[in-house]
Amino acid sequence: MPTARLIGESDHVDRQQWDERYSGTEFEWTTRPNQFVAAELADLPSGRALDLAAGEGRNTVWLAERGWRVTAVDFSRVGLEKGRKLSAARGVDEAQVKWIVADLRDYEPERDFYDLALIAYLQVSPEVRATVLARAAAALVPGGTLFVVGHDLTNLTEGTGGPQDPDVLYTPEAVRAELPGLRVVRAERVHRTVERDGDPAIAIDTLVRAVRRA
Ligand SMILES: C[S@@+](CC[C@H](N)C(=O)[O-])C[C@H]1O[C@@H](n2cnc3c(N)ncnc32)[C@H](O)[C@@H]1O
């Protein structure tokens, strides 16, 4: 199934709905990492990574295969269980990934601990997003990288797919403003080619890469 076709199409979905969505045997999207995650993070030296809203673990497993020790957090137990199985099937050492079922509205990652914090397609209210971004930033060691990718607001008018509620969509400007204390390396809109009704279409994402100042 194409990565972007169904991501976030229902708005304000809760934990139970995500569990249901992940309950099939197939992967909801793909077992490959998000293309921007793969392109941007492939060259980072491995260390400790935090994957917030890890879903079925496609990015977690990719990182673990590259030697990262990953803490993967999501409120969908079903999603994370699939991630754990994917990880085992790929031969990742069990000790390399910690799978944590938690609501990101409450979850506080260890501070000053991670070399990388990843947030991919967590489409939540601006308040929750700001909280999660602040906690992710605080979880980084000095010099650590924060990488955020999510459906962009302009997708509503110029792109395809993703949630249709403007409240849960990203802009590079909003994410940048929510990261005081970090040096923003990239904050821009990027395009993904997805399949729509059998034809290629463009999905627009916000991509932000930032580094915690020393
Ligand atoms: C579109 S999926 C993205 C999954 C993964 N990051 C990826 O790129 O494949 C969004 C994920 O956010 C999770 N999520 C949404 N709200 C959450 C919350 N409040 N706490 C924890 N996880 C949440 C969902 O369970 C879902 O797995």
Side-chain angles (χ1 to χ4, degrees):
M1 185 175 297
T3 305
R5 200 159 67 83
L6 292 175
I7 267 184
E9 270 180 359
S10 39
D11 302 335
H12 296 303
V13 280
D14 63 10
R15 177 198 298 245
Q16 197 183 341
Q17 284 170 303
W18 276 108
D19 273 345
E20 280 164 17
R21 207 162 158 179
Y22 288 142
S23 63
T25 48
E26 294 294 309
F27 276 73
E28 180 72 2
W29 298 294
T30 168
T31 56
R32 293 188 305 277
N34 168 257
Q35 68 183 78
F36 303 117
V37 168
E40 287 280 326
L41 304 181
D43 293 337
L44 269 188
S46 62
R48 292 189 186 115
L50 177 65
D51 184 2
L52 296 174
E56 296 166 304
R58 59 179 176 150
N59 299 318
T60 288
V61 170
W62 180 82
L63 285 166
E65 286 177 321
R66 271 150 193 79
W68 289 85
R69 300 183 82 81
V70 190
T71 301
V73 187
D74 199 288
F75 66 5
S76 171
R77 186 176 298 280
V78 179
L80 291 189
E81 184 53 25
K82 279 168 98 174
R84 202 186 55 72
K85 285 187 182 148
L86 175 66
S87 186
R90 293 269 184 82
V92 170
D93 184 340
E94 235 181 273
Q96 247 181 287
V97 184
K98 225 188 264 177
W99 304 95
I100 297 182
V101 180
D103 192 321
L104 292 173
R105 284 169 287 201
D106 311 318
Y107 178 75
E108 298 216 24
E110 189 163 344
R111 297 172 74 94
D112 306 317
F113 188 72
Y114 293 97
D115 303 288
L116 169 68
L118 166 64
I119 304 172
Y121 305 98
L122 173 67
Q123 308 293 153
V124 287
S125 71
E127 297 75 28
V128 176
R129 189 179 63 225
T131 300
V132 174
L133 281 172
R135 288 178 182 159
L140 292 172
V141 295
T145 296
L146 175 65
F147 189 76
V148 181
V149 61
H151 298 285
D152 187 89
L153 183 62
T154 59
N155 217 40
L156 291 182
T157 48
E158 296 157 41
T160 191
Q164 299 300 297
D165 176 356
D167 269 2
V168 305
L169 296 173
Y170 287 77
T171 67
E173 298 77 21
V175 176
R176 179 192 278 276
E178 284 161 359
L179 297 176
L182 266 62
R183 181 172 60 82
V184 175
V185 180
R186 283 185 74 183
E188 58 199 76
R189 295 191 167 89
V190 289
H191 287 184
R192 242 175 331 123
T193 303
V194 297
E195 188 194 299
R196 200 76 191 171
D197 303 326
D199 292 317
I202 294 297
I204 306 168
D205 290 342
T206 287
L207 182 157
V208 176
R209 181 176 180 157
V211 174
R212 182 166 172 193
R213 294 180 204 279

